[in-house]
Amino acid sequence: MHDTVLKISDLDVRYGAIPALHAVDMTLREGEAVGLLGANGAGKTTLLNTLSGFLRPSAGRIELFGKDIGRAAPHTIVRRGLLHLSQERDLFGELTVIDNLRIGSISRAPKTASRNLERVFHYFPRLRERVSQAAATLSGGEQQMLAIGRALMAEPTIMLFDEPSAGLSPLFVHEIGAMMCALRKDEGMSIVLVEQNMKLAAQVVDRFHILRAGHVVAEGPVSELEKDHEELAREYYL
Ligand SMILES: Nc1ncnc2c1ncn2[C@@H]1O[C@H](COP(=O)(O)OP(=O)(O)OP(=O)(O)O)[C@@H](O)[C@H]1O
Ligand SMILES: [Mg+2]
């Protein structure tokens, strides 16, 4: 019933001579959310950058909907439905909210743009009130909403989120968590979520993987995250 949409097998990634990921295996099924946890420098962003085509694997295989994408260009991967929301957000600060959103739909047919705009405003009504405001002048939380909204304009079926809660107040973190849950429930979106905020991860994901120094050192169902967070941190992060 729930097909595998993304399958990572025995993946190695290097920066020159330095290994960053080793023998990573991970699968993501349709409509599922998987958390990727681990200390700073563990390789989480490296894994997302490899999935979205910005880094080349040195060994192993990545299949998106059953097709090998290990050598595919980033724009090809976006067209096939996988979208990576980077840790930096990458907004065009001088452009308005509406122009940033329009840029997000460049890879799609123009006639779908207005429908997608309504979809973004449905999730983030606050963006509708601010369509003419320059992106750089939005608050941090609003900028994160705009970055997610722009990603949605590309009609992804799989989204990779890299620490979406970074620097946000609890209220915004909660809104973004609720929005990720709605994307799964209403649209069957599959999600890979990199997070340091365990509460947010536990709200959104079904399963998690923990990376340490480029290796997956643990994985399990979300119920495991309800264990003592300090114990988890001692066990896997130090
Ligand atoms: N362009 C690069 N060249 C060389 N080494 C890099 C490069 N990018 C990342 N690294 C190294 O690869 C390792 C993994 O980095 P990565 O950014 O994937 O970690 P992360 O788990 O996302 O960390 P954080 O939680 O701090 O965002 C780190 O040791 C980092 O210094
Ligand atoms: Mg990172």
Side-chain angles (χ1 to χ4, degrees):
M1 172 66 187
H2 289 286
D3 293 336
T4 296
V5 291
L6 187 64
K7 187 167 194 297
I8 302 162
S9 324
D10 214 15
L11 188 74
D12 280 22
V13 178
R14 311 178 145 268
Y15 292 108
I18 303 165
L21 293 175
H22 182 63
V24 172
D25 290 320
M26 198 172 113
T27 55
L28 180 68
R29 286 184 285 271
E30 191 181 341
E32 188 182 37
V34 171
L36 199 54
L37 313 174
N40 296 128
K44 305 178 299 295
T45 298
T46 299
L47 179 53
L48 299 196
N49 279 333
T50 309
L51 297 178
S52 52
F54 291 106
L55 290 171
R56 292 266 170 264
S58 51
R61 199 173 160 84
I62 306 170
E63 286 175 23
L64 178 62
F65 303 113
K67 286 198 179 141
D68 186 2
I69 53 156
R71 311 247 138 233
H75 66 269
T76 308
I77 294 173
V78 170
R79 272 181 191 276
R80 291 193 192 160
L82 183 147
L83 210 134
H84 175 183
L85 200 75
S86 81
Q87 221 163 342
E88 286 81 27
R89 296 172 191 159
D90 299 329
L91 293 170
F92 297 96
E94 286 171 18
L95 298 187
T96 60
V97 165
I98 192 84
D99 285 342
N100 270 279
L101 290 173
R102 288 200 179 109
I103 286 167
S105 65
I106 269 174
S107 64
R108 298 295 168 196
K111 63 177 190 297
T112 63
S114 58
R115 190 185 70 213
N116 282 324
L117 262 182
E118 281 312 307
R119 187 164 143 257
V120 170
F121 295 146
H122 162 74
Y123 287 116
F124 299 123
R126 208 186 257 261
L127 292 181
R128 192 198 296 273
E129 296 160 18
R130 295 175 183 276
V131 280
S132 314
Q133 193 171 329
T137 65
L138 296 172
S139 77
E142 289 161 354
Q143 288 188 21
Q144 186 61 288
M145 290 179 177
L146 179 56
I148 297 172
R150 190 180 59 180
L152 288 176
M153 294 295 291
E155 300 178 11
T157 44
I158 303 174
M159 285 184 75
L160 315 178
F161 289 92
D162 200 344
E163 300 194 30
S165 78
L168 303 191
S169 71
L171 187 67
F172 274 109
V173 173
H174 182 78
E175 272 191 51
I176 283 173
M179 179 267 174
M180 287 191 268
C181 292
L183 281 177
R184 294 187 57 196
K185 188 165 162 278
D186 302 344
E187 309 194 17
M189 184 90 73
S190 312
I191 290 174
V192 177
L193 173 62
V194 170
E195 251 312 326
Q196 300 290 355
N197 182 328
M198 293 280 200
K199 201 173 152 205
L200 177 63
Q203 179 189 353
V204 175
V205 308
D206 306 304
R207 298 186 289 122
F208 68 90
H209 293 249
I210 296 181
L211 274 178
R212 185 168 59 195
H215 295 72
V216 175
V217 291
E219 55 183 280
V222 68
S223 54
E224 292 274 306
L225 292 181
E226 284 149 19
K227 283 205 305 199
D228 184 352
H229 290 170
E230 282 187 21
E231 188 190 319
L232 271 176
R234 266 198 308 277
E235 217 173 324
Y236 298 117
Y237 281 54
L238 302 177

